[in-house]
Amino acid sequence: MPMINGIAQPAISEGAKGARCSDLETPALLVDLDTMEQNLATMVRFFKGPVKLRPHFKNHRVIALAQRQMEFGAIGVTCARLWEAEILVRNGITNVLIANEIAGETMVKRFVELAGESPVIVAVDNRTVVNDLTFMSRREGAEVNVVVDVDLGLERCGVKPGEPALALARTVVERGLKFRGLMGYEGHLQALCPGEEKDHEVRCAIGRLIDSKCMIEKAGIPVDIVSCGGTGDFRIAGRVPGVTENQAGSFMLMDSWYEPFAPDFKPALSVLATVISKTPGERVVVDSGVKALSGERGLPTVKNDPALRLKALHAEHAVIETTDSSVSVNVGDKIEIWVRYHDGTVHLHQRMYGIRSGAVEEVFEVEH
Ligand SMILES: Cc1ncc(COP(=O)(O)O)c(C=O)c1O
């Protein structure tokens, strides 16, 4: 049996195509293909104009889905990790932005080796890595593309907007690396409900990125790329003049936590689970705990049956209250549980089953 983190994964894979969804071994990660395709179509339609879509890979980690996004008009792929960029390039997706920092000799060397194969871009926010990239790119004779990461208020990575962004851009150019532009991720604003306040906050945050771009251009350094945005604010971020591309990722699979903040998209992901125990009038227990479902953003809910209320997630079990006497679930029944936090769930699975009309139409391998 294939294993992830020592956890045995269902053996059914390609052979599952055509099977009834309810016949899958559980826990199984399901994606509703109609919903996923609708989500993708909505996003692609929005980015038909001058601002382009470069969707984030970390949200699904499926090469076939990244390829589908490219076929539908994405200009490239955003990712968080060097290994993700390596896998994407190996599979023919060469326009990759690592919207994250790398550090340390091993990672810098691997990045420069990858840069020798393909014009992958990496975010930088400090001189240490700029110097390491410079040293390694000279040694390997590879051109290295970078964007300067600007902190737009998330307070994670990134230099401060304005002077610090300009200073780092200058260093990049002086060292002979290829300065491509700027990125920033206003992640702290994604979970605001749509409305005037969100509109204002997002415009202010991205305004800081655009001001930095203008300063850098005034200093005579061309800025080709200005990348930002997520699923919760794509309509705002994607229309700010000066922005060239958007890094949204959650929109395609979506989860029930994100849904209120991004009403254009519907959750497509669920986990199929089997009832393995029943205490009549009290509870049933299913075989999907935190090793199959993230509880990090709150307890997931049961799909298609609001009377079944998830009470607890254990490692291998979810406990579901059945005090409502109208509920009839029995040992051996299968139920679907909405994925509440897909970023914390997808990587727990080896594969994702694409479901249409109750049958498995596609089997997607999840990269690890
Ligand atoms: C740097 C970066 N860009 C883009 C995204 C994707 O944003 P979203 O999940 O809102 O679509 C993330 C998500 O965490 C991110 O960290």
Side-chain angles (χ1 to χ4, degrees):
M1 248 187 186
M3 310 281 280
I4 306 177
N5 297 336
I7 308 157
Q9 298 297 306
I12 302 172
S13 59
E14 279 298 302
K17 276 190 189 174
R20 281 183 314 159
C21 164
S22 53
D23 288 340
L24 288 171
E25 195 173 322
T26 59
L29 182 64
L30 311 181
V31 57
D32 181 293
L33 292 173
D34 288 335
T35 306
M36 181 190 85
E37 286 164 8
Q38 216 173 318
N39 287 344
L40 178 58
T42 301
M43 202 54 134
V44 164
R45 214 177 304 123
F46 184 83
F47 286 105
K48 282 265 185 267
V51 181
K52 301 298 179 198
L53 181 63
R54 189 195 285 272
H56 215 302
F57 182 67
K58 79 185 170 76
N59 303 89
H60 55 75
R61 287 185 169 190
V62 173
I63 293 292
L65 293 182
Q67 284 164 341
R68 193 168 305 186
Q69 290 173 324
M70 296 289 290
E71 283 159 24
F72 277 80
I75 55 154
V77 172
T78 301
C79 65
R81 300 278 172 198
L82 178 55
W83 69 263
E84 293 174 331
E86 290 167 338
I87 285 179
L88 287 161
V89 169
R90 219 179 295 137
N91 282 277
I93 297 176
T94 54
N95 194 356
V96 177
L97 164 65
I98 306 175
N100 197 7
E101 278 63 15
I102 57 168
E105 192 184 330
T106 311
M107 298 303 265
V108 168
K109 184 168 185 296
R110 258 171 63 184
F111 175 77
V112 172
E113 282 165 6
L114 186 64
E117 284 175 47
S118 146
V120 179
I121 308 162
V122 69
V124 293
D125 74 354
N126 62 82
R127 279 177 182 73
T128 304
V129 170
V130 169
N131 290 339
D132 291 349
L133 284 167
T134 305
F135 171 79
M136 208 58 84
S137 68
R138 286 181 188 157
R139 203 172 82 176
E140 300 286 322
E143 183 172 70
V144 162
N145 288 273
V146 302
V147 289
V148 167
D149 187 0
V150 181
D151 179 13
L152 302 181
L154 177 60
E155 297 179 350
R156 195 169 61 183
C157 297
V159 290
K160 297 268 184 228
E163 271 303 331
L166 169 60
L168 191 57
R170 272 204 176 107
T171 306
V172 167
V173 173
E174 282 161 12
R175 300 285 193 276
L177 303 179
K178 192 157 183 193
F179 173 77
R180 299 295 307 281
L182 300 175
M183 70 145 276
Y185 177 59
E186 62 295 355
H188 59 303
L189 303 176
Q190 301 301 327
L192 291 178
C193 286
E196 268 175 35
E197 189 203 342
K198 181 169 195 167
D199 227 73
H200 173 74
E201 291 293 330
V202 172
R203 280 178 204 289
C204 286
I206 295 174
R208 295 193 273 277
L209 192 62
I210 300 300
D211 289 348
S212 308
K213 164 192 150 76
C214 293
M215 279 180 84
I216 295 168
E217 284 176 337
K218 251 194 206 143
I221 303 171
V223 180
D224 300 338
I225 294 175
V226 178
S227 178
C228 60
T231 297
D233 72 352
F234 76 100
R235 286 193 179 277
I236 315 162
R239 291 290 182 261
V240 174
V243 169
T244 65
E245 55 184 71
N246 190 287
Q247 318 181 347
S250 298
F251 67 92
M252 194 158 83
L253 302 183
M254 279 297 281
D255 55 41
S256 57
W257 174 85
Y258 215 143
E259 190 183 14
F261 315 117
D264 292 274
F265 308 104
K266 295 279 159 278
L269 271 188
S270 59
V271 165
L272 185 72
T274 304
V275 176
I276 55 170
S277 171
K278 178 174 181 175
T279 305
E282 280 185 32
R283 62 181 178 271
V284 294
V285 178
V286 297
D287 61 355
S288 302
V290 290
K291 292 183 183 179
L293 266 171
S294 167
E296 208 177 312
R297 289 192 171 169
L299 283 178
T301 50
V302 176
K303 187 173 169 182
N304 298 330
D305 204 338
L308 293 175
R309 204 178 62 81
L310 218 113
K311 225 169 59 172
L313 272 180
H314 297 215
E316 303 283 2
H317 307 84
V319 181
I320 296 171
E321 209 171 64
T322 55
T323 42
D324 182 336
S325 57
S326 67
V327 173
S328 125
V329 261
N330 292 304
V331 169
D333 286 351
K334 292 202 168 140
I335 61 166
E336 279 180 55
I337 301 174
W338 284 117
V339 169
R340 187 160 173 84
Y341 180 37
H342 71 287
D343 237 344
T345 298
V346 168
H347 71 285
L348 301 174
H349 297 262
Q350 184 81 25
R351 55 191 64 90
M352 203 187 288
Y353 296 94
I355 307 295
R356 204 182 314 265
S357 308
V360 178
E361 187 174 296
E362 298 189 69
V363 181
F364 301 114
E365 293 301 318
V366 177
E367 301 295 339
H368 290 90

